[in-house]
Amino acid sequence: MLEQLNREVYAVGEVIFREGEAGDCAYIVEDGCVEVCVTTAGGEQVVKQIGKGELFGEIALIDHKPRTATVRARDKSVLIPIRRQLVNELLDKTDPIVRHLLLLVMERFRGNGHCVAGQPASDTESAGRNKLRGEATQKLALAHDITRALSNDEFAMYYQPICDLSTGHVAGFEALIRWNHPTKGQISPLDFLWLAERTGQIREIGLWTLERACRDWPVLRQQTNHPTPFVSVNMSANQLTGDGFVEEVSSIIKRCAMPSSELKLELTETVIINNPDQALRLLEHLTSLNIRLALDDYGTGYSGLDSLQRYPIATMKIDRAFISNMLTSEQSREIVNSSISLAHSLGMDVIAEGIEEVETNEALLNLKCNFGQGWHFGRPAALN
Ligand code: C2E
Ligand code: CA
Ligand code: CA
């Protein structure tokens, strides 16, 4: 990053900036040495030397205050200017929590007398900071709530049947998490998993869901009627890339006496796209334990199944977006048709997600789709 920034070269004695001037950047001394000359309240001049690798003028990164010192090159100096605009752009791209913390640290730094009084931050700046603070505080509170939910056992597992389309019998279940929040009621996974993914809490949640599903399996299994029954558990990309994932899965399977061939892990293309080689090793490791893998939300990702054929995926799950439109859109129907043919030609079986109507069920049966999931067969429900 520093390598990409411009350099400014100053001759001995040359002024870099003067006290009272408007400033919009800080400087890092890459080579040489500068003298910072500050006038104290009593009118005395205090001179400080700043050498290689050090930073000066950083108040300009916080707000539009006039410079509080005059700085000259003591030796011939090479400086890297860091502009406020660049810092703001970088802050905009970071996680809101990190951004909030940095802004607080910067403000506290200014409050410690590192800056002389000047004009206050503009209304737009204050409004922007307040908005950021509001967003970040909400997220911090939610992240804190998630940690509490894990220790207070507030999460619950719901199971939705997956049926064999040719017989209509239940072949397996997909495990779907719910959060029974003490004051907000039941919260959908879509409203908290995205944050858990960013904070890393998804790892603990993921292990919890896997263990819960494996423990519930003996009872669930009795509700199936299929030669190869299964329970399917969703895995987030962040979870899979953590150290020791396979070992943790393996120890849960052992602890719960789960027949591994009856466990299916659902993952999305993101896992593969993020790190194709690491994903291949990981997925092969999981299949070597006899676990089956399903590719979730097929059709919504970036790559076609043909580019995924080197991955050991047993099942393709066609996304609900295509299934719910297939009776009205010829294009969706064609996408579903060709996805099924492609999956079968690669030796995979297919689950259609989001079947709500009997006509969709029939259309999928005609296209030789193997399994179906959706409100037509049953909504996700707690184990009773
Ligand atoms: P998903 O993996 O695509 O799960 C299917 C979603 O579709 C579920 O939403 C399910 O309730 C919903 N659904 C099933 N059939 C129908 C239907 O016929 N019509 C309609 N309109 N919806 C249907 P849910 O339970 O809200 O889960 C949303 C997403 O949250 C899941 O999408 C999955 O990506 C994620 N998720 C849920 N539980 C877990 C979990 O334990 N771990 C992880 N990593 N992700 C989870
Ligand atoms: Ca899923
Ligand atoms: Ca899905």
Side-chain angles (χ1 to χ4, degrees):
M1 160 84 205
L2 276 183
E3 293 75 47
Q4 289 152 17
L5 298 176
N6 290 333
R7 267 65 177 159
E8 289 176 3
V9 181
Y10 291 86
V12 179
E14 197 178 347
V15 173
I16 295 143
F17 57 72
R18 285 184 198 281
E19 187 176 338
E21 281 177 4
D24 76 339
C25 67
Y27 294 86
I28 292 176
V29 183
E30 188 174 58
D31 202 10
C33 179
V34 301
E35 259 177 15
V36 179
C37 182
V38 183
T39 313
T40 65
E44 216 182 312
Q45 299 270 306
V46 180
V47 179
K48 206 175 131 198
Q49 289 185 11
I50 304 257
K52 248 177 160 172
E54 289 186 272
L55 177 80
F56 66 92
E58 64 276 11
I59 300 299
L61 298 182
I62 305 174
D63 51 31
H64 303 264
K65 308 254 172 164
R67 296 287 190 188
T68 59
T70 298
V71 183
R72 285 188 189 81
R74 190 174 173 275
D75 304 327
K76 182 183 174 196
S77 301
V78 181
L79 306 180
I80 308 174
I82 316 275
R83 309 225 167 263
R84 183 166 55 228
Q85 196 192 344
L86 172 73
V87 174
N88 287 342
E89 282 166 13
L90 291 173
L91 279 176
D92 275 348
K93 286 187 209 146
T94 56
D95 183 277
I97 296 174
V98 174
R99 187 164 65 211
H100 180 57
L101 289 174
L102 281 175
L103 288 172
L104 284 181
V105 170
M106 281 158 84
E107 277 178 27
R108 189 157 300 170
F109 174 77
R110 185 177 50 154
N112 277 348
H114 287 273
C115 186
V116 292
Q119 77 257 55
S122 70
D123 286 352
T124 341
E125 269 180 343
S126 307
R129 280 182 199 164
N130 284 343
K131 185 168 167 274
L132 278 178
R133 198 168 300 161
E135 270 175 32
T137 312
Q138 273 179 9
K139 282 173 191 150
L140 283 170
L142 183 61
H144 178 264
D145 266 17
I146 294 176
T147 305
R148 191 211 50 223
L150 275 163
S151 55
N152 283 6
D153 219 11
E154 290 169 22
F155 291 120
M157 224 59 227
Y158 273 40
Y159 297 98
Q160 186 175 28
I162 296 176
C163 294
D164 182 328
L165 291 183
S166 62
T167 61
H169 294 158
V170 176
F173 289 89
E174 176 173 4
L176 295 157
I177 196 168
R178 298 290 179 267
W179 181 0
N180 295 318
H181 193 283
T183 54
K184 295 180 187 152
Q186 194 169 83
I187 304 182
S188 149
L190 298 175
D191 293 332
F192 66 90
L193 287 182
W194 64 273
L195 183 64
E197 272 164 32
R198 292 174 79 163
T199 58
Q201 290 162 308
I202 193 68
R203 305 230 166 98
E204 205 178 332
I205 296 179
L207 296 175
W208 181 87
T209 54
L210 185 61
E211 176 138 13
R212 182 81 264 158
C214 291
R215 289 207 183 284
D216 287 343
W217 180 234
V219 179
L220 274 175
R221 196 180 191 281
Q222 290 172 9
Q223 299 172 26
T224 64
N225 180 3
H226 196 266
T228 53
F230 60 90
V231 60
S232 216
V233 181
N234 291 283
M235 296 285 129
S236 295
N238 281 359
Q239 226 183 309
L240 293 157
T241 46
D243 284 344
F245 175 73
V246 181
E247 289 72 18
E248 276 162 343
V249 170
S250 163
S251 88
I252 289 175
I253 288 175
K254 282 204 190 88
R255 221 173 24 247
C256 304
M258 175 80 197
S260 54
S261 62
E262 297 182 358
L263 175 64
K264 210 173 246 194
L265 297 183
E266 295 192 10
L267 43 103
T268 59
E269 281 163 89
T270 322
V271 175
I272 292 169
I273 291 160
N274 284 356
N275 200 335
D277 296 326
Q278 193 196 9
L280 184 61
R281 281 195 300 277
L282 178 86
L283 302 188
E284 282 177 343
H285 204 158
L286 288 169
T287 46
S288 74
L289 300 176
N290 262 340
I291 294 170
R292 283 184 287 163
L293 302 174
L295 187 63
D296 205 357
D297 305 337
Y298 181 73
T300 60
Y302 308 98
S303 51
L305 194 67
D306 44 347
S307 66
L308 300 174
Q309 59 172 308
R310 68 185 183 115
Y311 296 89
I313 292 161
T315 304
M316 174 208 277
K317 294 192 76 173
I318 304 181
D319 193 72
R320 178 159 62 88
F322 304 104
I323 305 299
S324 55
N325 282 335
M326 65 182 282
L327 294 181
T328 50
S329 150
E330 190 52 46
Q331 202 186 11
S332 292
R333 196 187 155 86
E334 198 34 59
I335 292 173
V336 173
N337 184 16
S338 53
S339 303
I340 294 172
S341 310
L342 187 56
H344 285 168
S345 71
L346 293 170
M348 300 178 185
D349 55 30
V350 181
I351 301 176
E353 296 181 321
I355 304 178
E356 292 185 2
E357 290 154 46
V358 64
E359 293 83 2
T360 317
N361 183 28
E362 279 158 11
L364 285 159
L365 195 54
N366 285 335
L367 297 179
K368 308 218 163 16
C369 180
N370 311 84
F371 301 98
Q373 174 181 359
W375 296 349
H376 171 64
F377 299 107
R379 297 201 180 208
L383 193 64
N384 42 42

